[in-house]
Amino acid sequence: MKSMKLMLPALLLSLSLGVYAQDDDELLEATSEEEATEVSVPTHPWEKPIFHRVLLGYSGTVAKYSNNSVQKSPTAPRSEKYFLSGMNVGYMADLRLMKTKPFYIEIGANLAYLTGRSSEDSIYSFHENMPKGEHTERHYRIHAFTLTIPINLTWQFRDFRGVEGLTLAPFAGVYGRFNIIADRRETAITTLYDDNGKALPTTVSRVNKSLLTDNANGRNGWMEGRQHTGKTFQVGAQLGVNAFYKKYSFGVAYMIDITPFAQHTSDKGITYKSKDAGGRDNVPGSGCDMKVSTMHNFAITLGYVF
């Protein structure tokens, strides 16, 4: 009986130790799972399944007006080329597409203000058949305000070249651009001369023409007498690369517009000759083959990742 009393506490003690050992094993397994989960936690903000960026940068583009008419003489300015540059601000969201691979899709928005003068900034004219000579110097400047929506695919190369915390992420994609404002501002400085060739006081006139809407009498900012309205929406393709370090990003991008800003082809004459009976007729073969394109678009951005 005494031995039974001694055996019972021993049995209970052994059972309790077994339960404790089992609980301890379960605790260790849970701890191991937690540690495994912690290991997969992103070390840097751009390693998260989804991360965000605010951007500030510099944008530039070359905008070119050209009239490629063959044997035509439209009443239009000579071909003009502009280098437009300005600032941009934006937001990007990056969403990981694969659980175990650093493959992301980028979607965002970018606002940009651009302005620039024509490379052929001065156009001179002198009319000797006028009672008083006239000398005019013209300057052209474009002001543009745009909203771009990019959609890119990107892959992250983490710890690039063995540099801990440095990630390079090349990207490629498409974009849609909304042209909110596009104005062509002309400043004309005119000097008149009297019959003796003496210069009179100069006069300055300024005209602001929207490239997105037709102006009075069917005129707009480039071609007189034709409706060459610029597009409010364009599409294009782009490629570039982003670099990430700590909570910051640095990016460069090159964009190619697929649709031109404006384009118009017509065989109908836009120069005229007077008729003997009065009025005037179109000059045959004086139509136009006009195109306005933006090319060599680029952007440099600095960003904060969160």
Side-chain angles (χ1 to χ4, degrees), residues 106-125:
E106 299 179 335
I107 302 175
N110 184 71
L111 282 170
Y113 172 75
L114 304 171
T115 184
R117 298 172 68 172
S118 170
S119 59
E120 300 177 5
D121 193 54
S122 300
I123 300 175
Y124 299 91
S125 61

Side-chain angles (χ1 to χ4, degrees), residues 43-95:
T43 305
H44 305 287
W46 58 85
E47 296 177 2
K48 296 188 294 186
I50 181 171
F51 65 94
H52 310 269
R53 286 176 286 153
V54 288
L55 304 170
L56 175 66
Y58 172 81
S59 297
T61 186
V62 176
K64 184 179 181 181
Y65 159 83
S66 61
N67 182 6
N68 301 315
S69 302
V70 179
Q71 296 181 348
K72 299 174 183 178
S73 55
T75 55
R78 72 180 78 179
S79 297
E80 299 173 14
K81 185 183 292 185
Y82 297 79
F83 176 71
L84 309 179
S85 62
M87 301 298 294
N88 64 76
V89 293
Y91 161 82
M92 293 292 289
D94 293 66
L95 176 65

Side-chain angles (χ1 to χ4, degrees), residues 200-216:
L200 301 175
T202 60
T203 60
V204 178
S205 63
R206 294 181 173 85
V207 178
N208 182 28
K209 296 182 179 181
S210 172
L211 302 176
L212 299 176
T213 58
D214 293 325
N215 291 274

